[in-house]
Amino acid sequence: MRTASSAPARQTADDRPAFGARLTAPLLLGSLLNPLNTTMISTGLVAIGHDFGVGAAQTAWLVSVLYLASAVAQPVLGKLADGIGPRRVFLGGLAVVVASGLVGTLAPGFGWLLVSRLLLGIGTSAAYPAAMAVLRDESRRLGTPTPRLVLGRLSFAALGSAAVGPTLGGLLVATAGWRGIFAVNVPVALLAYGATLRWIPKDAPRGERAEGGGAGGLDPLGTLFFTGALTCLVVFLLDLSHPLWWLLAPVVLLGAVLTWWQLRHPRPFIDLRMLGTNHALARTYLRHGLSYLVVYCVMYGFTQWLEEARGYDSLHTGLVMLPMSLAALGCSLLGARTKGIRAPLTVAAVLLAVGSGLLLLMSGSTPLAVLLLAGACFGIPQGLMGTGNQAAVQQFAPADAIGSAAGLQRTAQYIGAITAAGIIGLAYGRQADDGGLHLMAVAGGVLALALIVLTVTDRALRPAAGKSATSHQRTIPHQKGPTS
């Protein structure tokens, strides 16, 4: 290998700069697709419902099916990236994204949109874990840790794309119709695909990859039990106005079988033993899921109310949501520079309570300034809690299980979003109105107060306690993962 001692940056075997722009650009481009599509569709739900003659309870499935697919696919594809190579998984995911975009753009009926969103959830879920595996392989090749700046850019791409999703979706619906929300994925995925082929190094032979990363570590039965339990729960949550109580039986049964199997499996889909001893990490997942439950109630519920009850078109709805997007972007950068965890998370929880209070007072005559202020009250927490909880996962997770821990954090976020879709369906029924918005505001306020208590009373978030917890978590016995 040629070395360049006088160069400011280390070089790889093919003379590209270590962690250079060419390596990270396709990773960032691919990683923004999942969070972007989770929020971009929010301003298109009303138009889709009108075109196909379905109500809010049915269009909520377009939200939930992507989260359901992502909640399962993220950890599975992460393990697959370790086994067969991240570049292969990354390219495969982008190919599925292209297919999903074409299906959604040409969809002749509502069912085809559900298929498109299912494919989109699976395809976009490959990007983040594969990107982390690419960076890990680069670190191993160079013998140096991945720079925090690179990881920060990856986090900002996810937070930023989710934040601008409603505004971008409004612009697309206003200019190209709701099909533009699906079509835009095709050129973005093709661009990322070409950049990956050109700039991401080929995967090492399977025999040279880390031990334990193959298909044998995928735990297919655990994945099946988890998928079944989560699917039954989603179906139950999405029709809370007419609940199918019998669905709770398979949820409990599959959950019990999943727990039994995960405790017996040497490489479980979810490491329950680690979570059972790592209370600080478990509380982080709970806090993250509850936070995004509130945020996504607003992300989707508030936008539908603006269009159906307030009478705004998609473009104006996106513009009203712009302060929320800008606040989330700015505070994600601010949160990344904050050393502490407890303070920003507390501020985020308080603002969620304030924003819920503003929604409770809204009606068709509420001044525009109050609408913009409410959006900002939910945008600031989105940025602070995203970076804050990510820092908490890094602090409390076992050193050799960071990837799995990060995947479970995303799963907690998706479960919160799925629950939010159920609350929206219960509150609105077939049409958004003031009463439904106020019901969501009450639910958001109660959850925000619970978050305040959960954050303020968490001793592990105190600086001194956090250092002690970090040291302790590194020694907790857990499933051994791939070695560096």
Side-chain angles (χ1 to χ4, degrees):
M1 177 182 296
R2 188 178 66 177
T3 61
S5 58
S6 59
R10 297 183 63 177
Q11 303 289 315
T12 63
D14 55 356
D15 271 347
R16 55 184 170 80
F19 300 105
R22 290 187 175 184
L23 177 73
T24 58
L27 302 182
L28 296 176
L29 195 59
S31 297
L32 63 80
L33 284 170
N34 186 276
L36 178 66
N37 279 280
T38 61
T39 59
M40 184 170 56
I41 199 173
S42 62
T43 50
L45 293 177
V46 172
I48 291 172
H50 289 167
D51 277 4
F52 291 111
V54 297
Q58 286 72 40
T59 57
W61 268 103
L62 294 174
V63 179
S64 297
V65 72
L66 186 141
Y67 287 125
L68 177 61
S70 300
V72 177
Q74 288 255 4
V76 171
L77 293 174
K79 290 186 178 182
L80 194 61
D82 288 334
I84 68 174
R87 187 175 184 264
R88 295 186 181 96
V89 172
F90 196 81
L91 289 171
L94 291 173
V96 174
V97 172
V98 172
S100 73
L102 295 175
V103 170
T105 304
L106 303 175
F110 184 73
W112 285 100
L113 293 185
L114 293 176
V115 173
S116 172
R117 294 285 286 181
L118 176 64
L119 292 174
L120 188 62
I122 296 172
T124 57
S125 291
Y128 181 73
M132 294 300 290
V134 167
L135 295 176
R136 177 204 60 199
D137 289 350
E138 183 80 347
S139 295
R140 288 173 174 171
R141 189 159 44 240
L142 298 170
T144 182
T146 302
R148 293 189 63 179
L149 179 61
V150 174
L151 295 175
R153 289 170 181 167
L154 200 62
S155 177
F156 180 76
L159 288 171
S161 57
V164 302
T167 302
L168 177 59
L171 291 173
L172 288 171
V173 173
T175 57
W178 59 261
R179 294 182 187 272
I181 295 177
F182 294 86
V184 72
N185 290 293
V186 176
V188 176
L190 289 175
L191 181 61
Y193 195 98
T196 301
L197 287 176
R198 184 172 179 83
W199 293 331
I200 300 296
K202 293 184 178 180
D203 296 318
R206 298 186 188 184
E208 298 180 12
R209 302 201 63 81
E211 182 182 358
L218 286 180
D219 185 15
L221 276 180
T223 304
L224 180 63
F225 294 146
F226 178 78
T227 304
L230 192 57
T231 301
C232 291
L233 181 61
V234 169
V235 175
F236 175 79
L237 290 173
L238 284 182
D239 195 11
L240 293 178
S241 58
H242 303 89
L244 301 175
W245 295 107
W246 63 268
L247 283 172
L248 295 181
V251 171
V252 174
L253 178 61
L254 289 171
V257 174
L258 172 66
T259 301
W260 172 79
W261 179 250
Q262 297 303 274
L263 294 176
R264 291 174 58 88
H265 199 278
R267 300 183 185 279
F269 178 68
I270 301 175
D271 194 342
L272 296 180
R273 293 187 185 277
M274 184 272 289
L275 287 177
T277 56
N278 194 333
H279 297 157
L281 185 60
R283 288 194 299 270
T284 298
Y285 292 149
L286 176 61
R287 187 170 54 243
H288 194 67
L290 290 177
S291 299
Y292 273 91
L293 193 163
V294 178
V295 166
Y296 281 114
C297 271
V298 176
M299 189 79 72
Y300 297 108
F302 189 40
T303 53
Q304 291 188 56
W305 178 82
L306 288 172
E307 292 188 50
E308 294 193 331
R310 189 67 182 233
Y312 289 161
D313 58 23
S314 298
L315 177 60
H316 286 92
T317 297
L319 293 176
V320 170
M321 298 297 288
L322 186 59
M324 181 178 179
S325 303
L326 295 178
L329 282 171
C331 289
S332 66
L333 293 176
L334 178 63
R337 296 176 179 272
T338 303
K339 294 183 179 180
I341 299 176
R342 190 180 190 181
L345 290 179
T346 302
V347 171
V350 170
L351 287 175
L352 288 177
V354 173
S356 298
L358 289 176
L359 293 185
L360 188 60
L361 301 175
M362 286 188 181
S363 66
S365 60
T366 301
L368 177 60
V370 178
L371 302 181
L372 298 175
L373 177 61
C377 284
F378 288 99
I380 294 172
Q382 189 179 355
L384 294 179
M385 70 190 182
T387 53
N389 286 323
Q390 182 184 45
V393 169
Q394 292 176 341
Q395 178 170 307
F396 300 131
D400 57 353
I402 290 293
S404 299
L408 287 177
Q409 181 192 6
R410 287 288 183 92
T411 298
Q413 178 177 329
Y414 297 138
I415 292 176
I418 290 167
T419 307
I423 294 176
I424 292 172
L426 174 63
Y428 286 159
R430 293 192 62 85
Q431 186 171 359
D433 55 19
D434 291 350
L437 180 67
H438 296 162
L439 178 61
M440 284 193 297
V442 171
V446 172
L447 292 173
L449 292 176
L451 277 171
I452 294 173
V453 174
L454 182 63
T455 303
V456 172
T457 59
D458 193 344
R459 296 183 178 181
L461 295 180
R462 297 174 182 176
K467 294 179 181 179
S468 175
T470 302
S471 176
H472 172 66
Q473 295 306 331
R474 294 297 181 260
T475 62
I476 290 178
H478 52 270
Q479 185 62 43
K480 186 176 181 181
T483 57
S484 299

